[in-house]
Amino acid sequence: MCGIVGYIGMHKAADFLVDGLSKLEYRGYDSAGIAVLDKGKIRLDKCVGRLENLKRKLGGNMPEGTVGIGHTRWATHGRPSDLNAHPHVAGKFAVVHNGIIENYLKLKEELLAKGHKFISETDTEVVAHLLEDKYEGDFEEAVKQVLRVIRGSYSLAFMCEDEPDMIICTKKDNPLVIGLGEGENFIASDIPAIINETRRTFIMSDGEIATVTPDGVWVQDVNGVPISKKVFIVNWNAEAAEKGGYDHFMLKEINEQPKAIRDTMTGRINAEDQTIHFPELNWTEEEMAEINKIFIVACGTAYHAGIVGKYYLEQLARIPVEVDIASEFRYRSPLVDGNSLTIVISQSGETSDTLAALREAKRLGARTLAVTNVVGSSIAREADQVVYTYAGPEIAVASTKAYITQLLAMLMLSIYIGRLSDTIDKKLARYLVSCLLELPKQVAQTLENTKLIEAQTAHYAQCNDVFFLGRSLDYAVALEGALKLKEISYIHAEAYAAGELKHGTLALIVEGVPVIIIATQEDIYDKTVSNLQEVKAREAEVLAIGFEGDTSLVNYADQVIYIPKTDRYLAPLLTVVPLQLFAYYAALARGCDVDKPRNLAKSVTVE
Ligand code: M6R
C-alpha cells in the first residue's frame, strides 16, 4: 500500500503534491518523492524516511512547474532507500505506482537485453522503462501498450516531457480517485488528499485510463472506448475521509482483509496449476531435509498466529514445532542449533522482544526466517530470509489484517514445505490452493454479516467476563478472539482449549456467563459440541461460530454465527473475522477509544 497524488493546473504543483502526500502518509511512510515538469524537464526530488525529510530537502527550493506527480511509499520490492523511492524516471517519463507488478522480473530481463539501465530494485522502475520502450510519439498509446503487458495490481500515474499538458493514470485492484477543480485537476489514491481542494470527485474503476488535463478529464478503456463517469460530491469531513468513511481505522482494516489476503497471495500462488511458490526462499528438498525442528517466536497477536502456524507445520510439513512468546524465548536457553529453523513473526518488524529473540536464535546458530509486514524493518534486515505479508500499513493498535495475512503466510509456507518434503501429496496441495483462491470472496461474505454481529454484540458488551472455547485450530483462534476483546473493550476475556475446561475453569461457568465457542474442526467436532453442552448445562449464554450448513449447533447454542464452508485448515482465516467485529462493537458500545486503547502502543520497541 502506497499513496499517489497528481496535479495539473495553474498553481505550483509541488504545493498540492506535498500537502496531498501528508494526508496519505497512513498508506505508507518509508520514503516520499515528487516529480514536477519544470521548464519542460522532469525535476525529481525524493528521499528515504517520512515526508518531513522530503520537505526539509526541498526547503525553500520548491519546483515552479504546474504539473506533477508524487508518492509516499510502503515498500514491497526493494528496501526503503533514496533510489527505491518513487517517482521513477526513464528518459522523458516519470511514474508513480501503488501495488505490485507480478511479472516485473521477466520484463526487466527483456528491457536489460534491449540496453535499458536500472538504478533501483523496484518493480515500478520497470514500468517507467517499458513506457519509454513502447513510446513512438503517442503518450496515450504507449500507456495502453504498457497495460497490455504488465500483470499484477496497480494504480499508476504517468508524466511525459513531450506532453506537458497531461497526466495519464490508471488502476487495477488499487484505489484511485480524480478530483475536479476549475482550471486544475487532481489525482490521488484516496479522498483525504484532495478534500482541501475540491469535493467534486469520481472513483476510477479497474481497467480505466484517465487523461487528465487542466481543463478536463477524459476516460477510456485500453481499446479506446470512451467511458463516462458519474461525479459525486464528497461530504465526509477530513478525519472520516482518512478512514475511508469508516468510524475507526480498526473497522477499515478489518474490511481491508480480502485485499490484504489477495496481495499476500500475489506472486506466490499459481492459480493455473494450483501450486505455491516462494521465489524469495527458493528452498530445496536437501535444505529442508536438514531441518529437524522449527521454533516460532513472536508476541501478542503475532504469537497467536504462531500457534496456528504450529498446527499447520506439524500437520502438513510433519516437522516438530515449538511456539514461544519472544520475551520467554530470549531468556530460557532454548535448545536451538544449526538444524533448526527459527521463524519470527512480527507485523511491525520492530518489536523489541521479538528482535532480541531473533538475535538469540542466530547466536545459537539457527537458520532464521522473518514473517513481517514492514519491508526494511529491523527484523527483516537481521533475519536470514524474509517472507513479507502484504497487509499494508496497520494503524489501529489492535492487529487485524496483519494477523489474517500472518495465518495465510504460515499456511502457504506449510503447504510449500509439505510439497518440498513430500509430506503432502499434489492432490491435497492443489485442493488447499483451490480453497485459498476462494478465501478473499469468503472473507468478504463473512464481513457482510457485520450488522448481525453488531446486534448480537450489544448484549455481551455489558458483561464483565467472556470465555472463548475451541479445540485444535479453533482453540488457537479463540486465543486471538479473547485478546482482541480484552485490549479494546477492557472486558475480561479468557480462551481455553475446550477439553481443558473441566480441569478447573468450569467452576466459573454459571448462569448467564457468556461463552463463545468455535466449532469448525470436523475431526473433533463431536467433542467440541459435548463441551458446548457442558457449559449450556451450567446455563451459560452461548454464542457459537460454525460452518454454513451445520444444522446441529443451533440446537445447543443461544445464537450462532455462520461462516462460509471451507477446508478446516482455512477456518481460522474466517472465524477470526466475527471475533474481530465482536471485539470492535463491544468496545464501541462501551465508549472505548477503539484505535488507541489505554496503556498500549502500536509498536512495542521497549522491553
Ligand atoms: O508488531 P508485532 O507483530 O511484533 O507486535 C506484536 C504485538 O505487540 C501485537 O501483535 C499486539 O499484541 C497487538 N496490539 C494485538 O492486537
Side-chain angles (χ1 to χ4, degrees), residues 299-302 345-351 354 397-399 406 480 483-484 487 600-604:
C299 301
T301 286
I345 307 179
S346 172
Q347 185 286 129
S348 62
E350 300 296 347
T351 301
T354 312
V397 166
S399 185
Q406 287 161 354
E480 175 58 7
L483 176 64
K484 258 339 47 114
E487 76 173 324
L600 300 177
K602 182 64 187 162
S603 183
V604 186

Side-chain angles (χ1 to χ4, degrees), residues 16 90 177 238 256 370 403 418 476:
F16 167 75
V177 299
E256 282 170 353
Y403 171 78

